[in-house]
Amino acid sequence: MGPRVVNEPSILTPSASLSFPDDLTILLHAAVDQLTTYLDRAAVDMGLNDARDWLVLAALDDGQHRTQLELSRVVSVDKTTLITVLDRLEKQQLIVRTVDPSDRRVRIPQITDTGRGVYATFATARDAAEARALDGVSAADRAVLLDILGRIARGPDAEAATSS
């Protein structure tokens, strides 16, 4: 799968007069699309394929050892697509895949030092993209947004599991 198209202005930059219905699904989709557009541009500028490359590096940089299946769930990328991303990142020497000692059929992707460098550099571009997407949103509202999105992402059963 090639990079997402990032050079069609009519797709990339919605008109300021464009209005969206008060529908959570549509608003979340439009917000993600807007942020992904900025992140894809930054990724391509850095020699990555698209923002999915960086999402994988970000998830691997947290130090947790995850199987490829677990990683696909964390970054919300279907496992078939994830394999393509991992192959590409491994070819660029940004990750390595090791065998799970408890199950030789399972691979554990791990970020390399080179991958950490790319991750750190891209984190600056990510911060700029987030700032652009959230321009005009107060710090307090950003904190509330992150809290609410985190709760939505973890699902309704997560809070019950941590409180028991």
Side-chain angles (χ1 to χ4, degrees), residues 43-58:
V44 169
D45 288 348
M46 287 187 59
L48 298 173
N49 199 61
D50 56 38
R52 292 174 298 190
D53 290 4
W54 182 80
L55 287 171
V56 168
L57 294 175

Side-chain angles (χ1 to χ4, degrees), residues 96-153:
V96 294
R97 287 181 267 197
T98 59
V99 175
D100 184 339
S102 62
D103 185 346
R104 293 178 33 170
R105 298 169 296 173
V106 176
R107 300 289 180 259
I108 308 289
Q110 296 176 325
I111 193 168
T112 64
D113 288 340
T114 303
R116 278 191 185 83
V118 169
Y119 163 76
T121 302
F122 193 83
T124 302
R126 183 244 7 240
D127 292 348
E130 287 179 3
R132 183 173 177 193
L134 295 171
D135 187 36
V137 178
S138 72
D141 284 346
R142 288 177 190 205
V144 169
L145 176 65
L146 288 175
D147 177 61
I148 291 170
L149 289 175
R151 284 189 267 157
I152 292 169

Side-chain angles (χ1 to χ4, degrees), residues 15-31:
S15 164
S17 65
L18 191 61
S19 82
F20 294 97
D22 289 334
D23 179 286
L24 177 63
T25 303
I26 291 173
L27 292 171
L28 284 174
H29 182 75

Side-chain angles (χ1 to χ4, degrees), residues 35-80:
L35 188 55
T36 300
T37 296
Y38 301 142
L39 293 173
D40 281 347
R41 281 186 194 149
V44 169
D45 288 348
M46 287 187 59
L48 298 173
N49 199 61
D50 56 38
R52 292 174 298 190
D53 290 4
W54 182 80
L55 287 171
V56 168
L57 294 175
L60 295 177
D61 191 62
D62 73 2
Q64 292 189 38
H65 292 276
R66 296 182 180 96
T67 66
Q68 291 178 172
L69 181 59
E70 291 166 337
L71 181 61
S72 76
R73 291 178 182 144
V74 168
V75 297
S76 300
V77 172
D78 122 338
K79 60 186 177 182
T80 304

